Amino acid sequence: MSEMTAATPQLLRRVSAGAVLDFMRASGAVTVTEVIQATGLTRATAISVCEDLMQRGWITELENQRAFGGYQKGRPARRFELNERAGFVLGMDVGFSKATVVVSDLRGKALGRASQPFDIEDISAEERVAVIDRAAMMALNGVGASPDAVLAVSAGIAAPVDRKGNVLASQHFWGLFDVGLGSALYKLRGWTVLLENDANLAALGDRWRGAAAGVDDVVVILASERFGSGVIEGGRLLHGSGGGAGELAYLDLVEGVGDTFGIATLARIWAAESLKGTAKTSLRDHAATGAEAEHVFAAAAAGDSEALKILDRLADRMARVIGSVATMINPELVVIGGAVANSAGVLLGPIAARLPEFTATPPRVAVSPLGDSIVTVGAVRRALDYVETNTLDLELNLPA
Amino acid sequence: MSEMTAATPQLLRRVSAGAVLDFMRASGAVTVTEVIQATGLTRATAISVCEDLMQRGWITELENQRAFGGYQKGRPARRFELNERAGFVLGMDVGFSKATVVVSDLRGKALGRASQPFDIEDISAEERVAVIDRAAMMALNGVGASPDAVLAVSAGIAAPVDRKGNVLASQHFWGLFDVGLGSALYKLRGWTVLLENDANLAALGDRWRGAAAGVDDVVVILASERFGSGVIEGGRLLHGSGGGAGELAYLDLVEGVGDTFGIATLARIWAAESLKGTAKTSLRDHAATGAEAEHVFAAAAAGDSEALKILDRLADRMARVIGSVATMINPELVVIGGAVANSAGVLLGPIAARLPEFTATPPRVAVSPLGDSIVTVGAVRRALDYVETNTLDLELNLPA
DNA sequence: GGAACTAAATTTAGATTCCATATAAATTCT
DNA sequence: AGAATTTATATGGAATCTAAATTTAGTTCC
């Protein structure tokens, strides 16, 4: 508290309004009496705050008040609820080959999405931003939302991003986003853009609507092509001094691991190895194009012994990875996320069985149900977090 | 903000008083005008808050007001300062073989200390608590402080302790502290006892008064006998779900490491190994009793080639340890702490030189100047943190 | 030693925000 | 229609803050 704002009487109103908003976010449509019970404010204050928030556009009053909750005696209560259409947020997943944008309302309901590929291999920063903007505008148009109504944008990229949103540009490609995306979209559309590492957003996403819902200490490992992880400790995302927290490159030195290849990559490699041998295996059906992870999992499910061997190796590898992370971080839960998570469920049992070999504090292990939308879900969450913590400082552009 | 306290007018006074206290903690003796400038309050409010805090005993008014700051025109300003003797805090380091207690004033100045050994090997919990209590009373008596004036106690132990202060009793010995120490000292003396892992306290201690002063992302490795670490990320101590964060047992699986032995232990082992050979080395002077780490460092300083080889191995090992931690956590700084830190300075250069082999984000590396008092310093800091965050809820037992 | 000056403390008035209580309104039940 | 019930509004009072005028304490200068 080095820089102190004076404790003006208005501070009280802020605290009260914040409490009412929090309650409404958690509870849907509520009566004034419910607000009173939840916040400890008196009726006069509660109504005054509600009227205030309504005037500013953040909440709306329901009309058919009696109809709502079934039968009720006495004077009908006024009902208020969060105006989920007070504005929108955008969640972006910016990958190497494409950008995906999700439009969400203020309750976190995904209203629409759009993807745009990056055609050329090494296009300029401006063109890249233009592609992302195009995807965003497509998504907004798809739901009939105006760009003016966008209250916050969060974008996930596969590079370290520090707490302040600075990209650590070790590679040329991502360096472009450092100054580019945020300022460009601000200039062009007036949007507040929050950059974040994709694995970190995955962690936020899975903790919001995935396997880690409500868990305060969780590590989410994006495990498809290369391992990367997002770490939430005590409900807070870790960044480290340069945004590198959750990096798993030390696995190069871990016995029985030796690289940071993900499940899909390893399955592909090991399937190819297996096909070099003479063992009889249904994986040969895919010999021409190369067997993918999904084929390996399918073959294993059908009892193919070569595929089962690969799954065994994958479980061992994952147990070592999770074990080392769990030792250092001691999460309650480790979530395997990314596109491969759907099929990775069969690995959970074998992984859990081996974990005690590699850590004294074995966490629960789960796969994320969010699939490859895990990053956009997290990006939406991040943008909503921004809006929720800054609600009383934001001005809404309401349609007159 | 799920459980909401009503925004009463008293909240304002709390905020104002907290701001004034924060300012005084940071600034020594201050005039009302300075308070006004720092907090943005008006003179009337500032004076009212000061009078309030003085009445409660937290601050005192200086007498010789003009004398203080040299020549000054106009009506002399009233000067207030933190009452550093409003109470005391205790910082404890409870090890296997002894307990050390430090008494500190509210400015963090260490006034006295006392140690007591645990004589017998497996004494009961009651006896152990009694020994700790005896050390505490000795330390208090030594500075003429009453037990009633102790506002908070923090104790570091070599076991995982979660965020809430619960000990994870994997071993019988530490299990005793789980229910024992806190409740016993509360019953006996009325003290609020905060249990914490010793490496975590070391991290707090070094960030307060050591090499990491002011650094927000730092890992402190206690490196003497066995590696253990405390992790501070974004200025906050990490615990993990069961207090196990910072545990380094995964090193068992790391190439070139393979165990969690600390610098002192390894120096001892490797010196013994060296003596089994026929190489000429000054370490033979200590062959009878066994060469200790200090002997190895001394011999190396004198140019002994066997000792230098050991230092080389130590540097390699430390670089691997620090590299893996730095990759996962990405701190700005890694501090080597504990009794061995004094001699470990010569390792810093070699470690830093090797670090880029083992991590893409090499941190600065330093040794802590706090030596083996690093845990008690951290314990004092932890207790002060408690007092500072709870100041306005604490009642002082002032000598009438 | 007293007048003028200066900086700080004190007093007074007014604004904001809250709570508590009493009164009024809207609805259902009898 | 009137009683019962629930909610809304109005009124009074308390706490806290700001702002501005006034008083106080000490310094400087003549």
Side-chain angles (χ1 to χ4, degrees), chain A residues 1 4 6-9 12 15-16 19 22 38-40 163 217 233-234 236 238-250 253-255 324-325 327-332 358, chain B residues 1 4 6-9 12 15-16 19 22 38-40 163 217 233-234 236 238-250 253-255 324-325 327-332 358:
Chain A
M1 239 186 255
M4 174 63 202
T8 64
L12 284 184
V15 173
S16 304
D22 283 353
T39 61
R163 247 167 247 132
D217 299 283
E233 201 272 352
R236 233 182 86 259
L238 302 195
H239 287 88
S241 75
E247 174 61 49
L248 301 179
Y250 71 93
L253 283 183
V254 172
E255 268 174 41
S324 63
V325 171
T327 298
M328 183 74 201
I329 307 288
N330 187 208
E332 178 186 332
F358 303 116
Chain B
M1 240 186 254
M4 174 62 201
T8 65
L12 282 184
V15 173
S16 304
D22 283 352
T39 61
R163 247 167 245 131
D217 299 283
E233 201 272 351
R236 232 180 87 258
L238 301 196
H239 286 89
S241 76
E247 172 63 46
L248 301 180
Y250 72 92
L253 282 184
V254 171
E255 268 176 39
S324 64
V325 171
T327 299
M328 183 73 200
I329 307 289
N330 188 210
E332 178 185 333
F358 303 115

Coordinates of all heavy atoms in Angstrom, one line a residue, chain A residues 1 4 6-9 12 15-16 19 22 38-40 163 217 233-234 236 238-250 253-255 324-325 327-332 358, chain B residues 1 4 6-9 12 15-16 19 22 38-40 163 217 233-234 236 238-250 253-255 324-325 327-332 358:
Chain A
M1 N 0.8 -1.2 0.0 CA 0.0 0.0 0.0 C 0.9 1.2 0.0 O 0.7 2.1 0.8 CB -0.9 0.0 1.2 CG -2.4 0.0 0.9 SD -3.3 0.2 2.4 CE -4.0 -1.5 2.6
M4 N -1.2 5.5 -1.6 CA -2.4 5.4 -0.9 C -3.4 6.3 -1.5 O -3.2 7.5 -1.7 CB -2.2 5.7 0.6 CG -3.4 5.8 1.4 SD -4.2 4.2 1.5 CE -5.9 4.7 2.0
A6 N -6.9 8.2 -0.8 CA -7.6 8.6 0.5 C -8.8 7.8 0.7 O -9.5 7.4 -0.3 CB -8.0 10.1 0.4
A7 N -9.1 7.5 1.9 CA -10.3 6.7 2.2 C -11.5 7.6 2.2 O -12.0 8.0 3.2 CB -10.1 6.1 3.6
T8 N -12.0 7.9 1.0 CA -13.1 8.8 0.9 C -14.4 8.0 1.3 O -14.4 6.8 1.2 CB -13.3 9.3 -0.5 OG1 -13.5 8.2 -1.3 CG2 -12.0 10.0 -1.0
P9 N -15.5 8.8 1.6 CA -16.7 8.1 1.8 C -17.2 7.3 0.6 O -17.8 6.2 0.8 CB -17.7 9.2 2.1 CG -16.8 10.4 2.6 CD -15.5 10.2 1.9
L12 N -16.9 3.5 0.5 CA -17.9 2.6 1.1 C -18.8 2.1 0.0 O -19.2 1.0 -0.1 CB -18.7 3.3 2.2 CG -18.0 3.5 3.5 CD1 -19.0 4.2 4.5 CD2 -17.6 2.2 4.0
V15 N -17.3 -0.6 -2.1 CA -17.3 -1.9 -1.4 C -18.7 -2.5 -1.4 O -18.9 -3.7 -1.8 CB -16.8 -1.7 0.1 CG1 -17.0 -3.0 0.8 CG2 -15.4 -1.2 0.1
S16 N -19.7 -1.7 -1.1 CA -21.1 -2.2 -1.2 C -21.5 -2.7 -2.5 O -22.0 -3.7 -2.7 CB -22.0 -1.1 -0.7 OG -21.7 -0.6 0.6
A19 N -19.8 -5.9 -3.5 CA -20.4 -7.0 -2.8 C -21.7 -7.5 -3.5 O -22.0 -8.7 -3.7 CB -20.7 -6.7 -1.3
D22 N -20.9 -9.1 -6.8 CA -20.3 -10.5 -6.6 C -21.5 -11.5 -6.3 O -21.5 -12.6 -6.8 CB -19.4 -10.5 -5.4 CG -18.0 -9.9 -5.7 OD1 -17.8 -9.7 -6.9 OD2 -17.2 -9.7 -4.8
A38 N -27.4 -11.5 1.9 CA -26.0 -11.9 1.5 C -25.0 -10.9 1.9 O -23.8 -11.2 2.1 CB -26.0 -12.1 0.0
T39 N -25.4 -9.6 1.9 CA -24.3 -8.6 2.0 C -24.3 -8.0 3.4 O -23.4 -7.3 3.8 CB -24.6 -7.5 1.0 OG1 -25.9 -6.9 1.2 CG2 -24.5 -8.0 -0.4
G40 N -25.5 -8.1 4.1 CA -25.5 -7.4 5.4 C -25.9 -5.9 5.3 O -25.9 -5.2 6.3
R163 N 3.9 -11.4 -15.9 CA 2.7 -10.9 -15.2 C 2.1 -9.7 -15.8 O 0.9 -9.4 -15.7 CB 3.1 -10.6 -13.7 CG 2.5 -11.5 -12.7 CD 3.3 -11.2 -11.4 NE 4.0 -12.4 -11.0 CZ 5.3 -12.5 -10.6 NH1 5.9 -11.3 -10.5 NH2 5.8 -13.6 -10.3
D217 N -5.1 -25.7 -6.0 CA -3.7 -26.0 -6.3 C -3.7 -27.1 -7.4 O -4.0 -28.3 -7.1 CB -3.0 -26.6 -5.1 CG -3.0 -25.6 -3.9 OD1 -2.2 -24.6 -4.0 OD2 -3.8 -25.7 -3.0
E233 N -1.5 -22.0 -7.9 CA -1.2 -22.3 -6.5 C -2.0 -21.4 -5.6 O -1.9 -20.1 -5.8 CB 0.3 -22.1 -6.3 CG 0.8 -22.8 -5.1 CD 0.7 -22.0 -3.8 OE1 0.4 -20.8 -3.8 OE2 1.0 -22.6 -2.7
G234 N -2.8 -21.9 -4.8 CA -3.6 -21.1 -3.9 C -4.6 -20.2 -4.7 O -4.9 -19.1 -4.3
R236 N -4.1 -18.9 -7.5 CA -3.4 -17.8 -8.3 C -2.5 -18.5 -9.3 O -1.7 -19.4 -9.0 CB -2.5 -17.0 -7.3 CG -2.8 -15.5 -7.4 CD -1.9 -14.7 -6.5 NE -0.6 -14.4 -7.0 CZ 0.5 -15.1 -6.8 NH1 0.5 -16.1 -6.0 NH2 1.6 -14.7 -7.3
L238 N 0.8 -18.9 -11.5 CA 2.2 -18.5 -11.4 C 2.7 -18.1 -12.7 O 2.4 -18.6 -13.7 CB 3.0 -19.7 -10.9 CG 2.6 -20.4 -9.6 CD1 3.7 -21.3 -9.1 CD2 2.2 -19.3 -8.5
H239 N 3.6 -17.1 -12.6 CA 4.3 -16.6 -13.8 C 5.8 -16.7 -13.8 O 6.4 -17.0 -14.8 CB 3.9 -15.1 -14.1 CG 2.5 -14.9 -14.5 ND1 1.4 -14.8 -13.7 CD2 2.0 -14.9 -15.8 CE1 0.3 -14.6 -14.4 NE2 0.6 -14.7 -15.7
G240 N 6.4 -16.5 -12.6 CA 7.8 -16.4 -12.5 C 8.2 -15.0 -13.0 O 7.4 -14.2 -13.5
S241 N 9.5 -14.8 -12.9 CA 9.9 -13.4 -13.2 C 9.9 -13.0 -14.6 O 9.7 -11.9 -15.0 CB 11.4 -13.2 -12.7 OG 12.3 -13.8 -13.5
G242 N 10.0 -14.0 -15.5 CA 9.9 -13.7 -16.9 C 8.8 -14.5 -17.6 O 8.8 -14.7 -18.8
G243 N 7.8 -14.9 -16.9 CA 6.7 -15.6 -17.5 C 7.0 -17.1 -17.8 O 6.2 -17.8 -18.4
G244 N 8.1 -17.6 -17.3 CA 8.5 -18.9 -17.7 C 8.1 -20.0 -16.7 O 8.4 -21.2 -16.9
A245 N 7.3 -19.6 -15.7 CA 6.9 -20.6 -14.7 C 6.1 -21.7 -15.4 O 5.3 -21.4 -16.3 CB 6.1 -20.0 -13.6
G246 N 6.3 -23.0 -15.1 CA 5.5 -24.0 -15.7 C 6.2 -24.7 -16.8 O 5.8 -25.6 -17.4
E247 N 7.4 -24.1 -17.2 CA 8.2 -24.6 -18.3 C 8.8 -26.0 -17.8 O 9.2 -26.2 -16.7 CB 9.3 -23.7 -18.6 CG 10.3 -24.2 -19.6 CD 9.7 -24.5 -21.0 OE1 9.0 -23.6 -21.5 OE2 10.0 -25.6 -21.5
L248 N 8.7 -27.0 -18.7 CA 9.1 -28.3 -18.3 C 10.4 -28.8 -19.0 O 10.7 -30.0 -19.1 CB 8.0 -29.3 -18.6 CG 6.7 -29.0 -17.9 CD1 5.6 -30.0 -18.3 CD2 6.9 -28.9 -16.4
A249 N 11.2 -27.9 -19.5 CA 12.4 -28.3 -20.2 C 13.4 -29.1 -19.4 O 14.3 -29.8 -19.9 CB 13.1 -27.1 -20.9
Y250 N 13.3 -29.0 -18.1 CA 14.2 -29.7 -17.2 C 14.0 -31.2 -17.4 O 14.8 -32.1 -17.0 CB 14.0 -29.4 -15.8 CG 12.7 -29.9 -15.2 CD1 12.7 -31.1 -14.5 CD2 11.6 -29.2 -15.3 CE1 11.5 -31.6 -14.1 CE2 10.4 -29.6 -14.8 CZ 10.3 -30.9 -14.2 OH 9.1 -31.4 -13.7
L253 N 16.6 -33.7 -18.5 CA 17.6 -34.3 -17.6 C 17.0 -35.4 -16.7 O 17.7 -36.0 -15.9 CB 18.2 -33.2 -16.7 CG 19.2 -32.3 -17.3 CD1 19.8 -31.4 -16.3 CD2 20.4 -33.1 -17.9
V254 N 15.7 -35.6 -16.9 CA 15.1 -36.6 -16.0 C 15.1 -38.0 -16.5 O 14.8 -38.2 -17.7 CB 13.6 -36.2 -15.7 CG1 12.9 -37.3 -14.9 CG2 13.5 -34.9 -14.9
E255 N 15.6 -38.9 -15.7 CA 15.7 -40.3 -16.1 C 14.4 -40.9 -16.6 O 13.4 -40.7 -15.9 CB 16.1 -41.2 -14.9 CG 17.6 -41.3 -14.7 CD 17.8 -42.1 -13.4 OE1 17.1 -43.0 -13.1 OE2 18.8 -41.6 -12.7
S324 N 7.5 -35.6 -11.0 CA 8.5 -34.6 -10.8 C 7.8 -33.2 -10.5 O 8.2 -32.5 -9.6 CB 9.5 -34.5 -11.9 OG 8.9 -34.1 -13.1
V325 N 6.8 -32.9 -11.3 CA 6.1 -31.7 -11.1 C 5.4 -31.7 -9.8 O 5.4 -30.7 -9.0 CB 5.0 -31.5 -12.2 CG1 4.1 -30.3 -11.9 CG2 5.7 -31.3 -13.6
T327 N 6.1 -33.2 -7.1 CA 7.0 -33.1 -6.0 C 7.4 -31.6 -5.7 O 7.3 -31.2 -4.6 CB 8.3 -33.9 -6.3 OG1 8.0 -35.3 -6.5 CG2 9.3 -33.7 -5.1
M328 N 7.7 -30.9 -6.8 CA 8.1 -29.5 -6.6 C 7.0 -28.6 -6.2 O 7.1 -27.7 -5.4 CB 8.7 -29.1 -8.0 CG 9.2 -27.7 -8.0 SD 10.8 -27.6 -7.1 CE 10.9 -25.9 -6.8
I329 N 5.8 -28.8 -6.8 CA 4.7 -27.9 -6.7 C 3.6 -28.4 -5.7 O 2.9 -27.6 -5.1 CB 4.0 -27.7 -8.1 CG1 5.0 -27.3 -9.1 CG2 2.8 -26.7 -8.0 CD1 5.5 -25.9 -9.0
N330 N 3.5 -29.7 -5.5 CA 2.6 -30.3 -4.6 C 1.1 -29.9 -4.8 O 0.4 -29.3 -3.9 CB 3.0 -30.0 -3.1 CG 2.1 -30.7 -2.1 OD1 1.9 -30.2 -1.0 ND2 1.6 -31.8 -2.4
P331 N 0.6 -30.1 -6.1 CA -0.8 -29.7 -6.3 C -1.7 -30.8 -5.8 O -1.3 -31.9 -5.5 CB -0.8 -29.7 -7.8 CG 0.2 -30.7 -8.3 CD 1.3 -30.6 -7.2
E332 N -2.9 -30.4 -5.7 CA -3.9 -31.4 -5.3 C -4.3 -32.3 -6.5 O -4.7 -33.5 -6.3 CB -5.2 -30.7 -4.8 CG -6.3 -31.6 -4.4 CD -7.6 -30.8 -4.0 OE1 -7.4 -29.6 -3.6 OE2 -8.7 -31.3 -4.2
F358 N 7.4 -42.1 -8.0 CA 8.1 -40.9 -8.4 C 7.8 -39.7 -7.5 O 8.4 -38.7 -7.8 CB 7.8 -40.6 -9.9 CG 8.1 -41.8 -10.8 CD1 7.1 -42.4 -11.5 CD2 9.4 -42.2 -10.9 CE1 7.4 -43.5 -12.3 CE2 9.7 -43.3 -11.8 CZ 8.7 -43.9 -12.5
Chain B
M1 N -14.9 -12.9 -2.3 CA -15.7 -12.2 -1.3 C -17.0 -12.9 -1.1 O -18.1 -12.3 -1.1 CB -16.0 -10.8 -1.9 CG -15.4 -9.7 -1.0 SD -15.9 -8.1 -1.6 CE -14.4 -7.5 -2.3
M4 N -19.5 -11.8 3.1 CA -19.3 -10.3 3.0 C -19.6 -9.7 4.4 O -20.6 -10.0 5.0 CB -20.4 -9.8 2.0 CG -20.5 -8.3 1.9 SD -18.9 -7.6 1.4 CE -19.2 -5.9 1.9
A6 N -20.6 -6.2 6.1 CA -21.3 -5.0 5.7 C -20.3 -3.9 5.6 O -19.4 -3.8 6.4 CB -22.4 -4.7 6.6
A7 N -20.5 -3.0 4.7 CA -19.6 -1.9 4.5 C -20.0 -0.8 5.5 O -20.6 0.2 5.1 CB -19.6 -1.4 3.1
T8 N -19.7 -1.0 6.7 CA -20.1 0.0 7.8 C -19.1 1.2 7.6 O -18.1 1.1 7.1 CB -19.9 -0.6 9.1 OG1 -18.5 -0.8 9.4 CG2 -20.6 -1.9 9.3
P9 N -19.6 2.3 8.2 CA -18.7 3.5 8.2 C -17.4 3.2 8.9 O -16.4 3.8 8.5 CB -19.5 4.5 9.0 CG -20.9 4.1 8.8 CD -20.9 2.6 8.7
L12 N -14.1 2.7 6.9 CA -13.3 3.8 6.5 C -12.2 4.1 7.5 O -11.0 4.3 7.1 CB -14.1 5.1 6.4 CG -15.0 5.2 5.1 CD1 -15.7 6.6 5.2 CD2 -14.2 5.1 3.9
V15 N -9.4 1.6 7.1 CA -8.6 1.8 5.9 C -7.6 3.0 6.2 O -6.4 2.9 5.9 CB -9.5 2.1 4.7 CG1 -8.6 2.5 3.5 CG2 -10.3 0.9 4.3
S16 N -8.2 4.0 6.7 CA -7.3 5.2 7.0 C -6.3 4.8 8.0 O -5.1 5.2 7.8 CB -8.2 6.3 7.6 OG -9.2 6.6 6.7
A19 N -3.5 2.8 6.5 CA -2.6 3.5 5.7 C -1.6 4.3 6.5 O -0.5 4.4 6.2 CB -3.5 4.5 4.8
D22 N 0.9 1.9 7.9 CA 1.9 1.4 6.8 C 2.9 2.5 6.6 O 4.1 2.2 6.5 CB 1.1 1.2 5.5 CG 0.4 -0.1 5.6 OD1 0.6 -0.9 6.5 OD2 -0.4 -0.4 4.6
A38 N 1.3 11.6 2.6 CA 1.5 10.2 2.2 C 0.1 9.6 2.0 O 0.0 8.7 1.1 CB 2.3 9.5 3.2
T39 N -0.9 9.9 2.7 CA -2.1 9.2 2.7 C -3.2 9.9 2.0 O -4.2 9.3 1.6 CB -2.6 9.0 4.1 OG1 -2.9 10.2 4.8 CG2 -1.6 8.2 5.0
G40 N -3.1 11.2 1.8 CA -4.2 11.9 1.1 C -5.3 12.3 2.1 O -6.3 12.8 1.6
R163 N -0.8 -24.3 4.2 CA -1.2 -22.9 4.3 C -1.8 -22.5 5.6 O -1.7 -21.4 6.1 CB -2.2 -22.5 3.2 CG -1.6 -21.5 2.2 CD -2.6 -21.5 1.0 NE -1.9 -22.0 -0.2 CZ -2.4 -22.9 -1.0 NH1 -3.6 -23.4 -0.8 NH2 -1.7 -23.4 -2.0
D217 N 10.4 -12.7 -7.0 CA 10.4 -14.1 -7.5 C 11.8 -14.7 -7.2 O 12.8 -14.5 -7.8 CB 10.2 -14.1 -9.0 CG 8.9 -13.5 -9.4 OD1 7.9 -14.2 -9.2 OD2 8.8 -12.4 -9.9
E233 N 6.9 -16.5 -5.1 CA 6.5 -16.1 -6.5 C 5.6 -14.9 -6.4 O 4.6 -14.9 -5.7 CB 5.8 -17.3 -7.2 CG 5.8 -17.2 -8.7 CD 4.6 -16.5 -9.2 OE1 3.7 -16.1 -8.5 OE2 4.6 -16.2 -10.4
G234 N 5.9 -13.9 -7.1 CA 5.1 -12.7 -7.0 C 5.0 -12.1 -5.6 O 4.0 -11.5 -5.2
R236 N 4.8 -13.8 -2.9 CA 4.0 -14.7 -2.1 C 4.6 -16.1 -1.9 O 5.2 -16.6 -2.9 CB 2.6 -14.9 -2.8 CG 1.4 -14.6 -1.9 CD 0.1 -14.9 -2.6 NE -0.3 -16.3 -2.5 CZ -0.1 -17.2 -3.5 NH1 0.4 -16.9 -4.6 NH2 -0.6 -18.4 -3.3
L238 N 4.9 -20.0 -1.7 CA 4.1 -21.1 -2.2 C 4.1 -22.2 -1.2 O 5.1 -22.5 -0.5 CB 4.7 -21.6 -3.5 CG 4.9 -20.7 -4.7 CD1 5.1 -21.5 -5.9 CD2 3.7 -19.8 -4.8
H239 N 2.9 -22.8 -1.1 CA 2.8 -24.0 -0.1 C 2.4 -25.2 -0.8 O 2.8 -26.3 -0.4 CB 1.7 -23.6 0.9 CG 2.1 -22.6 1.9 ND1 2.0 -21.3 1.8 CD2 2.7 -22.8 3.1 CE1 2.5 -20.7 2.8 NE2 2.9 -21.6 3.7
G240 N 1.6 -25.2 -1.9 CA 1.0 -26.4 -2.5 C -0.1 -26.9 -1.6 O -0.4 -26.3 -0.5
S241 N -0.8 -27.9 -2.0 CA -2.0 -28.3 -1.3 C -1.7 -28.9 0.0 O -2.5 -28.8 1.0 CB -2.8 -29.3 -2.2 OG -2.2 -30.6 -2.1
G242 N -0.5 -29.5 0.2 CA -0.2 -30.1 1.5 C 1.1 -29.6 2.1 O 1.7 -30.2 2.9
G243 N 1.5 -28.4 1.7 CA 2.7 -27.8 2.2 C 3.9 -28.3 1.6 O 5.0 -28.0 2.1
G244 N 3.8 -29.1 0.6 CA 5.0 -29.7 0.0 C 5.7 -29.0 -1.1 O 6.7 -29.4 -1.6
A245 N 5.2 -27.8 -1.4 CA 5.9 -27.0 -2.5 C 7.3 -26.7 -2.1 O 7.6 -26.4 -1.0 CB 5.1 -25.7 -2.7
G246 N 8.2 -26.8 -3.1 CA 9.6 -26.5 -2.8 C 10.4 -27.8 -2.5 O 11.6 -27.8 -2.4
E247 N 9.7 -28.9 -2.4 CA 10.3 -30.2 -2.1 C 11.2 -30.6 -3.3 O 10.7 -30.4 -4.5 CB 9.3 -31.2 -1.8 CG 9.8 -32.7 -1.7 CD 10.8 -32.8 -0.6 OE1 10.4 -32.3 0.5 OE2 11.8 -33.4 -0.8
L248 N 12.4 -31.1 -3.1 CA 13.3 -31.3 -4.2 C 13.6 -32.8 -4.5 O 14.5 -33.2 -5.1 CB 14.6 -30.6 -4.0 CG 14.4 -29.0 -3.9 CD1 15.8 -28.4 -3.7 CD2 13.7 -28.5 -5.2
A249 N 12.7 -33.7 -3.9 CA 13.0 -35.1 -4.0 C 13.1 -35.6 -5.4 O 13.6 -36.7 -5.7 CB 12.0 -35.9 -3.2
Y250 N 12.5 -34.9 -6.4 CA 12.5 -35.3 -7.8 C 14.0 -35.3 -8.3 O 14.3 -35.9 -9.3 CB 11.7 -34.4 -8.7 CG 12.3 -33.1 -8.9 CD1 13.2 -32.8 -9.9 CD2 12.1 -32.0 -7.9 CE1 13.8 -31.6 -10.1 CE2 12.7 -30.8 -8.1 CZ 13.5 -30.6 -9.2 OH 14.1 -29.4 -9.3
L253 N 15.8 -38.4 -9.6 CA 15.7 -38.8 -11.0 C 16.4 -38.0 -12.0 O 16.4 -38.2 -13.2 CB 14.2 -38.8 -11.4 CG 13.3 -40.0 -10.9 CD1 11.9 -39.8 -11.5 CD2 13.9 -41.3 -11.3
V254 N 17.1 -36.9 -11.5 CA 17.7 -36.0 -12.4 C 19.2 -36.5 -12.7 O 19.9 -36.8 -11.8 CB 17.7 -34.6 -11.9 CG1 18.6 -33.7 -12.7 CG2 16.3 -34.1 -11.8
E255 N 19.5 -36.5 -14.0 CA 20.8 -37.0 -14.4 C 21.9 -36.1 -13.8 O 21.8 -34.9 -13.8 CB 21.0 -36.8 -15.9 CG 20.6 -38.0 -16.7 CD 20.7 -37.7 -18.2 OE1 21.6 -36.9 -18.6 OE2 19.7 -38.1 -18.9
S324 N 17.2 -27.0 -12.8 CA 15.9 -27.6 -12.9 C 14.9 -26.8 -12.2 O 13.7 -26.6 -12.7 CB 16.0 -29.0 -12.4 OG 16.3 -29.0 -11.0
V325 N 15.2 -26.3 -11.0 CA 14.3 -25.4 -10.3 C 13.9 -24.2 -11.1 O 12.8 -23.8 -11.2 CB 14.8 -25.1 -8.9 CG1 13.9 -24.0 -8.2 CG2 15.0 -26.3 -8.0
T327 N 14.0 -23.6 -14.2 CA 13.2 -23.9 -15.4 C 11.7 -23.9 -15.0 O 10.9 -23.3 -15.7 CB 13.6 -25.2 -16.0 OG1 15.0 -25.1 -16.4 CG2 12.8 -25.5 -17.2
M328 N 11.4 -24.7 -14.0 CA 10.0 -24.9 -13.6 C 9.5 -23.6 -13.0 O 8.3 -23.3 -13.2 CB 10.0 -26.0 -12.5 CG 8.7 -26.4 -12.0 SD 7.8 -27.3 -13.3 CE 6.1 -27.1 -12.7
I329 N 10.2 -22.9 -12.2 CA 9.7 -21.8 -11.4 C 10.0 -20.4 -12.0 O 9.3 -19.4 -11.8 CB 10.3 -21.8 -10.0 CG1 10.1 -23.1 -9.3 CG2 9.7 -20.7 -9.1 CD1 8.6 -23.4 -8.9
N330 N 11.1 -20.3 -12.7 CA 11.6 -19.1 -13.4 C 11.7 -17.9 -12.4 O 11.1 -16.9 -12.6 CB 10.6 -18.7 -14.5 CG 11.1 -17.5 -15.3 OD1 10.3 -16.8 -15.8 ND2 12.4 -17.3 -15.4
P331 N 12.5 -18.1 -11.3 CA 12.8 -17.0 -10.4 C 13.8 -16.0 -11.0 O 14.5 -16.3 -11.9 CB 13.4 -17.7 -9.2 CG 14.1 -18.8 -9.8 CD 13.3 -19.3 -11.0
E332 N 13.8 -14.8 -10.4 CA 14.8 -13.9 -10.8 C 16.1 -14.2 -10.2 O 17.2 -13.9 -10.7 CB 14.3 -12.5 -10.4 CG 15.3 -11.4 -10.7 CD 14.8 -10.0 -10.1 OE1 13.6 -9.9 -9.9 OE2 15.6 -9.2 -9.8
F358 N 21.8 -25.9 -18.4 CA 20.7 -26.6 -17.7 C 19.4 -25.9 -17.7 O 18.4 -26.4 -17.2 CB 21.1 -27.0 -16.3 CG 22.3 -27.8 -16.3 CD1 23.5 -27.4 -15.6 CD2 22.4 -29.1 -16.9 CE1 24.6 -28.1 -15.6 CE2 23.5 -29.8 -16.9 CZ 24.7 -29.4 -16.2

